[in-house]
Amino acid sequence: MDDIKRLSEIALTLMESDAKYDQDVCKMTVLFPLLETLGYDATKAGDIMLNPAYIDSGEYKIDYGLRGDTDESVKTMIKMIEFDAEPGLEFSNIRKCIMPGDRVEYIVITDCFNYYVYANADGGITFMDIVSFNICNVTNAQIRSFGVLKNPNVAARQDYALNDEEEPTEQAAPAAVSKYEKPNKTTSKTEKAQAVVSGTLMPIIVGS
């Protein structure tokens, strides 16, 4: 959680300057460090892939891919957009880049500050919105949802701190307990998955 807080502060500083329009600077100072909290190493070959999918003509490309459980697989595809651009405008081209056999689990559209995350709904090219947030003002619940993108081969370094106000429990916490607590380690994978997809899941354009 401390890593995310530091990134939020850095991103907020960039947002208040013209540097927010310099995508290369923003990627190095915000995007790649954020992916690092998910267990991806930008210096390790194969962890973050360049242009994993594209239209045959080469006029449109997916910018990055995050590796799956094998060296050849891509779990998540990331499309970069200009600062404050509308993410929905990208889907017609993204659909042309991804084939059903690619087995892509997630798509992320981002300008380094705003993150729009979509999960594969049917094993093909239909995706559903699961979370969107601004890194400058991100909540614990949004961070946990973003955690579905973590590297399946490496334990993510991210500390998923829970806010008592957001995650009420049946038993009241002792007065001396910090406002932020780590989740119960016995929580099942099913319960975690349910927490990720709780709320409204809105069908998105890809695959329609």
Side-chain angles (χ1 to χ4, degrees):
M1 185 64 184
D2 288 341
D3 287 342
I4 302 298
K5 288 181 178 178
R6 283 193 291 270
L7 284 175
S8 293
E9 293 170 359
I10 292 171
L12 187 58
T13 299
L14 288 173
M15 282 277 288
E16 295 172 344
S17 71
D18 289 340
K20 63 179 175 285
Y21 298 110
D22 189 331
Q23 198 170 86
D24 288 335
V25 169
C26 294
K27 285 191 290 188
M28 295 304 296
T29 55
V30 180
L31 176 63
F32 291 143
L34 181 59
L35 297 180
E36 203 171 283
T37 70
L38 297 172
Y40 296 96
D41 186 350
T43 65
K44 181 180 179 181
D47 259 17
I48 302 177
M49 309 169 197
L50 182 65
N51 304 136
Y54 48 86
I55 294 176
D56 288 342
S57 64
E59 62 188 31
Y60 189 89
K61 301 177 181 179
I62 302 295
D63 295 276
Y64 300 106
L66 304 182
R67 67 166 291 174
D69 52 8
T70 66
D71 290 342
E72 297 78 19
S73 64
V74 178
K75 175 179 179 177
T76 304
M77 291 191 179
I78 301 175
K79 178 58 187 176
M80 305 299 303
I81 56 177
E82 297 297 322
F83 175 72
D84 221 16
E86 170 56 50
L89 300 176
E90 301 297 320
F91 279 112
S92 61
N93 283 320
I94 289 175
R95 183 176 57 186
K96 298 174 184 177
C97 294
I98 299 177
M99 302 298 292
D102 290 340
R103 298 190 304 167
V104 176
E105 295 181 42
Y106 301 98
I107 291 174
V108 177
I109 300 177
T110 182
D111 59 4
C112 293
F113 301 97
N114 298 292
Y115 292 81
Y116 307 90
V117 184
Y118 309 92
N120 197 313
D122 61 0
I125 56 173
T126 300
F127 289 80
M128 303 179 79
D129 180 7
I130 59 170
V131 66
S132 60
F133 62 89
N134 187 301
I135 190 63
C136 299
N137 187 30
V138 62
T139 67
N140 290 327
Q142 290 169 332
I143 291 172
R144 287 194 300 275
S145 295
F146 192 66
V148 298
L149 306 181
K150 66 184 178 183
N151 189 335
N153 305 284
V154 180
R157 296 192 299 108
Q158 189 170 357
D159 179 13
Y160 295 100
L162 298 181
N163 187 311
D164 288 340
E165 296 176 357
E166 294 179 351
E167 293 285 325
T169 58
E170 294 182 2
Q171 297 181 347
V177 173
S178 168
K179 182 180 179 182
Y180 294 97
E181 296 181 333
K182 291 183 179 179
N184 189 329
K185 292 183 180 180
T186 60
T187 302
S188 70
K189 291 183 179 180
T190 299
E191 290 171 329
K192 290 180 180 178
Q194 290 173 340
V196 168
V197 300
S198 61
T200 56
L201 290 182
M202 300 181 62
I204 297 303
I205 303 168
V206 176
S208 59

